[in-house]
Amino acid sequence: MPHHIPRGIARLVAAAAVCIALLTGSPAGARAGELAVESDFPGGSVHVDAIDQEARSLRIQPADHPGKGWRCWWFFKVTGIEPGETLTLTVKGGGFALPNQAAWSLDGRNWRQTARGKRSKNTMTYTQAVPASEAYFAWGPPFLPRHAEALLAHADAQCDAADRFVLCRTREDRPTPAVRIEPEASDGKPILLWVQARQHAWESGSSWVAEGFARWLCSEDERARALRRQCRTVVVPIMDVDNVVRGAGGKNQHPQDHNRDWSDEPHWHAVAAAQGMLRDLSAEARLTVFIDLHNPGPGKRDQEVFFYTCPRESLSDARQALQASLVTAARAEMTAPLGFRGQTREGGAGYDKNWKRISKNWVADRLDGPVVAVTIETGWQTPHSTLEGYRTVGRQMGLAVERFLREARR
Ligand SMILES: [Zn+2]
């Protein structure tokens, strides 16, 4: 409080601030201008190590959720900010927890990136001027069940052939929302196009890629309509809903994460339901295209879009040709800003001894006929790893599939 204000008025102002804090539900004990952290909302995750009210700095880590996967996702709200002041945020964790630029938002809907943080051995320090009394900070733009619901409502409204459905209820009894878009033409068997994201809960960018794809598919774009005419498309924007809501990492969770669960006895309900639906729909399809969306590691080489493909020796010549054509089409369409320059890696035994339990390998192994199954990884360490950047990757992925199918007909 500036000292030239008479003490009585200062007391009144302070009392009013406390009343406002009570009315607006600010955390108990927080005085106006006193920084506080909240994470009690879907996807929230933080462990506060220290808040320095003088320095206006916060030191945090992702919350620890034992058994629920890597400790790398963080998302929280800061209150008590003096509008216009600059906050210093230091995040401690492994490389996967420390994006070069953090995501921040005033309203939890529109997300921007901070300036590049300063890295030390196991911390990253971001500074951000905040023009409001509250702000959200996160590893990346969060994608929560409410975003999935909004996407499905949009698809319903835009596209007559879209039907939202619940893939399953999770082990913690939450719905797993999904959408199915029926082909518009009825001549002959359709192509099955299956797009899923977020088998690893921390990889929020992958859900935004799925969202960008689905929004484009339901648009009036001529090439989106061409895809809709021939494809039965299923989009599952979040496979591991429980860990997304919990704010846990999910990767390598107990007993195994979703993308090591594609066996004959899956533990996770979403995997079992997806397997069943894939089996049924693929049997009715003349071609199955399966795409599993992820965010990769923090290293430089991982930051351009790349594909994990099925090991060559596990594929017939015909399937190798299909995979190569999809990669070629993707190279032509997925150009910028998060371009795909043809980088593919085989996700086989050399990558993981449990490679057969990875979704795309299960699809290739268990589904008959013409099948192409890939993982697409989108970098999260770039200035374009934003909501709009991820959506662009999704739209370009749709264009790539459309081109692939058009060229396959020739
Ligand atoms: Zn992943």
Side-chain angles (χ1 to χ4, degrees), residues 59 88-91 115-120 123-127:
R59 301 183 71 88
T88 302
L89 169 64
T90 299
V91 180
R116 223 182 142 91
K118 285 195 176 63
R119 178 79 194 255
S120 78
T123 66
M124 187 76 88
T125 297
Y126 312 95
T127 53

Side-chain angles (χ1 to χ4, degrees), residues 67-252:
K68 301 299 181 188
W70 289 356
R71 193 174 173 180
C72 55
W73 169 257
W74 44 274
F75 173 26
F76 58 91
K77 182 178 180 180
V78 181
T79 59
I81 303 166
E82 301 279 4
E85 74 172 322
T86 296
L87 300 183
T88 302
L89 169 64
T90 299
V91 180
K92 184 177 165 191
F96 286 77
L98 306 177
N100 292 331
Q101 294 169 272
W104 75 284
S105 171
L106 295 178
D107 57 10
R109 282 194 299 276
N110 299 296
W111 289 87
R112 289 174 269 190
Q113 287 181 324
T114 64
R116 223 182 142 91
K118 285 195 176 63
R119 178 79 194 255
S120 78
K121 190 162 166 270
N122 59 353
T123 66
M124 187 76 88
T125 297
Y126 312 95
T127 53
Q128 182 60 51
V130 180
S133 58
E134 302 182 346
Y136 294 87
F137 291 88
W139 173 90
F143 187 100
L144 306 164
R146 68 183 162 88
H147 297 108
E149 293 296 341
L151 171 64
L152 304 193
H154 174 82
D156 249 358
Q158 289 297 305
C159 189
D160 288 343
D163 259 322
R164 50 198 294 186
F165 67 100
V166 175
L167 178 68
C168 67
R169 296 199 69 92
T170 64
R171 284 187 160 259
E172 293 173 41
D173 203 27
R174 294 186 179 95
T176 302
V179 64
R180 169 174 172 164
I181 302 164
E182 288 297 307
E184 284 167 7
S186 57
D187 49 332
K189 289 179 169 185
I191 290 159
L192 173 61
L193 172 55
W194 182 286
V195 174
Q196 64 179 34
R198 219 67 176 282
Q199 295 205 80
H200 299 140
W202 66 279
E203 297 164 12
S204 65
S206 66
S207 288
W208 287 112
V209 173
E211 203 256 17
F213 162 73
R215 275 184 186 267
W216 169 81
L217 183 64
C218 294
S219 75
E220 288 306 302
D221 183 285
E222 198 43 54
R223 294 175 65 190
R225 297 176 68 153
L227 205 54
R228 291 210 301 275
R229 273 194 291 277
Q230 50 189 325
C231 290
R232 170 176 286 151
T233 307
V234 176
V235 181
V236 188
I238 304 175
M239 285 289 283
D240 185 1
V241 172
D242 289 337
N243 277 328
V244 166
V245 172
R246 183 181 289 113
K251 172 82 175 175
N252 279 1

Side-chain angles (χ1 to χ4, degrees), residues 184-398:
E184 284 167 7
S186 57
D187 49 332
K189 289 179 169 185
I191 290 159
L192 173 61
L193 172 55
W194 182 286
V195 174
Q196 64 179 34
R198 219 67 176 282
Q199 295 205 80
H200 299 140
W202 66 279
E203 297 164 12
S204 65
S206 66
S207 288
W208 287 112
V209 173
E211 203 256 17
F213 162 73
R215 275 184 186 267
W216 169 81
L217 183 64
C218 294
S219 75
E220 288 306 302
D221 183 285
E222 198 43 54
R223 294 175 65 190
R225 297 176 68 153
L227 205 54
R228 291 210 301 275
R229 273 194 291 277
Q230 50 189 325
C231 290
R232 170 176 286 151
T233 307
V234 176
V235 181
V236 188
I238 304 175
M239 285 289 283
D240 185 1
V241 172
D242 289 337
N243 277 328
V244 166
V245 172
R246 183 181 289 113
K251 172 82 175 175
N252 279 1
Q253 68 174 312
H254 182 79
Q256 62 271 335
D257 71 47
H258 282 59
N259 205 25
R260 298 295 182 279
D261 195 42
W262 291 65
S263 68
D264 290 337
E265 291 179 327
H267 176 76
W268 304 111
H269 297 175
V271 173
Q275 287 178 336
M277 236 180 125
L278 276 159
R279 274 201 184 96
D280 293 347
L281 298 182
S282 179
E284 299 167 7
R286 67 188 144 97
L287 166 67
T288 297
V289 180
F290 174 88
I291 300 175
D292 185 31
L293 296 168
H294 289 257
N295 290 128
K300 246 205 174 99
R301 193 167 160 262
D302 282 10
Q303 302 316 311
E304 57 184 61
V305 174
F306 69 95
F307 282 45
Y308 277 110
T309 54
C310 293
R312 272 177 75 84
E313 64 277 10
S314 72
L315 299 178
S316 66
D317 289 352
R319 285 187 174 190
Q320 281 184 33
L322 282 174
Q323 184 170 282
S325 318
L326 179 61
V327 167
T328 302
R331 197 165 178 176
E333 298 289 351
M334 303 178 76
T335 48
L338 282 150
F340 171 61
R341 293 172 191 86
Q343 189 191 150
T344 60
R345 305 181 196 175
E346 282 194 357
Y351 170 67
D352 191 318
K353 67 178 175 9
N354 290 320
W355 68 283
K356 287 211 164 174
R357 300 172 66 139
I358 293 174
S359 56
K360 71 167 190 329
N361 294 327
W362 181 92
V363 166
D365 190 42
R366 297 307 177 88
L367 303 185
D368 294 329
V371 171
V372 53
V374 294
T375 300
I376 299 183
E377 302 269 1
T378 305
W380 48 275
Q381 285 284 53
T382 84
H384 306 293
S385 304
T386 59
L387 206 147
E388 277 316 308
Y390 290 134
R391 278 179 168 157
T392 301
V393 173
R395 179 170 52 80
Q396 293 174 340
M397 183 184 86

